[in-house]
Amino acid sequence: RASASATLTRAARVREGPMMKMRWRIPTSIAALIALACARATTASTVYDPCSTTGSSTVALDGSLTIGIAYWPGGTLEDWTDNHPCANATALAAAGVGTTVYVVDADGMTAIRGTRADEDGLYATDATATMMSVVAYTATTVSAARAVRVESGSAGDDGRTGRVSVLTLLATLDKGNVKYLRWHNSGCGECGGIGNERCLSVGDGDYACTASEAGCDGTCVGDACDVELGTTDALRCQLTVTVALSGTDVNDEVFTYGTQLERLSAYSSSGAYSSAAATATSATNGVLGFLGRR
């Protein structure tokens, strides 16, 4: 597989808070926070470092939560065992892990994604990689790992391959402090059920629909093409994560959208919810986001 053609450049200075030192960063512009249902601008006090406890503690209902998504090209689910992107930053940097930072609205459901160029570019930095996995994290919490890209030759489910389009993340807080980051199983109703070749086992018994590699790179022919390149359908070729909070905020008020997210995700069996999230152009890009080797 060819290496990335784009030249990675060092990032511009970080506006707020200490960021983890990266060997390479792909700078992206700061985007307004655009949730699925509403838009909300960041403020001067917003913390952009997921490894700072300030961004994941004392979260209020009308505030925001800083979350990191770490990508490991060539990394298996087992490779993430006992590895936290903050506590084990040096070791993960040497392994080629890249991260993107997001600030999500605390009282809402937000679809977040990086850029396809960043995701593809990071994957291409490891010429031997046949899969890529991710975790979500804050300073004190990390999710289980999930497979998001599997090529031929990987230990995929029944030899299946593809790029995962959508994962659903539920952040559970207790009095404004993040306690758990858990993936919610969206299933494969959108792509024909667990028995369909486009349904991939992503970890811990969870399944997700994928777009094919041939469909994403344009090498497919005729009816084998499952992606309409040049349209919003092409967004299925990169990972979108839908995030909501549950539990209580710093004032003991209840986050309601986490429960709604679980309810809506249940409808992904009919294709409605995951399909909408995967191709939503309103998804929030990383703020001071970066992808690439640390």
Side-chain angles (χ1 to χ4, degrees), residues 5-276:
S5 58
T7 301
L8 305 185
T9 57
R10 294 192 181 278
R13 68 180 180 87
V14 174
R15 279 195 176 184
E16 287 199 42
M19 300 293 289
M20 290 178 291
K21 186 176 182 180
M22 305 291 292
R23 183 180 304 167
W24 297 103
R25 298 176 183 172
I26 299 177
T28 58
S29 60
I30 299 178
L33 292 181
I34 308 175
L36 290 179
C38 61
R40 178 179 173 278
T42 58
T43 66
S45 60
T46 302
V47 176
Y48 295 116
D49 184 1
C51 292
S52 168
T53 56
T54 305
S56 59
S57 62
T58 63
V59 176
L61 198 63
D62 61 351
S64 60
L65 173 66
T66 303
I67 292 177
I69 304 292
Y71 296 71
W72 193 336
T76 66
L77 305 186
E78 293 75 18
D79 287 337
W80 286 104
T81 303
D82 298 325
N83 274 313
H84 189 293
C86 298
N88 305 102
T90 301
L92 292 176
V97 172
T99 67
T100 309
V101 180
Y102 302 93
V103 180
V104 300
D105 193 342
D107 188 31
M109 289 186 290
T110 309
I112 58 177
R113 73 167 65 95
T115 70
R116 181 174 172 184
D118 285 355
E119 193 172 313
D120 287 352
L122 176 65
Y123 188 64
T125 60
D126 186 342
T128 65
T130 56
M131 72 171 293
M132 183 156 64
S133 56
V134 302
V135 297
Y137 67 97
T138 63
T140 58
T141 311
V142 64
S143 72
R146 289 292 181 265
V148 295
R149 189 177 296 201
V150 177
E151 288 191 73
S152 178
S154 296
D157 183 63
D158 296 329
R160 294 174 188 170
T161 63
R163 302 184 182 194
V164 172
S165 301
V166 182
L167 291 177
T168 301
L169 182 69
L170 183 64
T172 302
L173 286 73
D174 179 25
K175 295 184 177 180
N177 296 289
V178 177
K179 294 298 182 183
Y180 308 105
L181 292 173
R182 295 174 291 184
W183 301 109
H184 183 73
N185 186 17
S186 295
C188 289
E190 177 190 353
C191 52
I194 292 177
N196 192 281
E197 66 178 355
R198 294 268 55 85
C199 182
L200 187 71
S201 175
V202 294
D204 299 323
D206 288 358
Y207 290 84
C209 290
T210 65
S212 70
E213 285 292 333
C216 290
D217 63 23
T219 59
C220 59
V221 178
D223 292 340
C225 296
D226 60 317
V227 181
E228 295 181 29
L229 298 177
T231 73
T232 57
D233 190 55
L235 291 172
R236 294 192 297 112
C237 293
Q238 62 193 91
L239 178 65
T240 298
V241 178
T242 306
V243 185
L245 279 58
S246 67
T248 57
D249 79 343
V250 66
N251 300 310
D252 230 15
E253 294 188 59
V254 176
F255 295 107
T256 60
Y257 281 87
T259 301
Q260 293 185 32
L261 179 61
E262 291 184 323
R263 185 183 305 120
L264 285 170
S265 290
Y267 289 106
S268 67
S269 60
S270 64
Y273 185 61
S274 289
S275 178

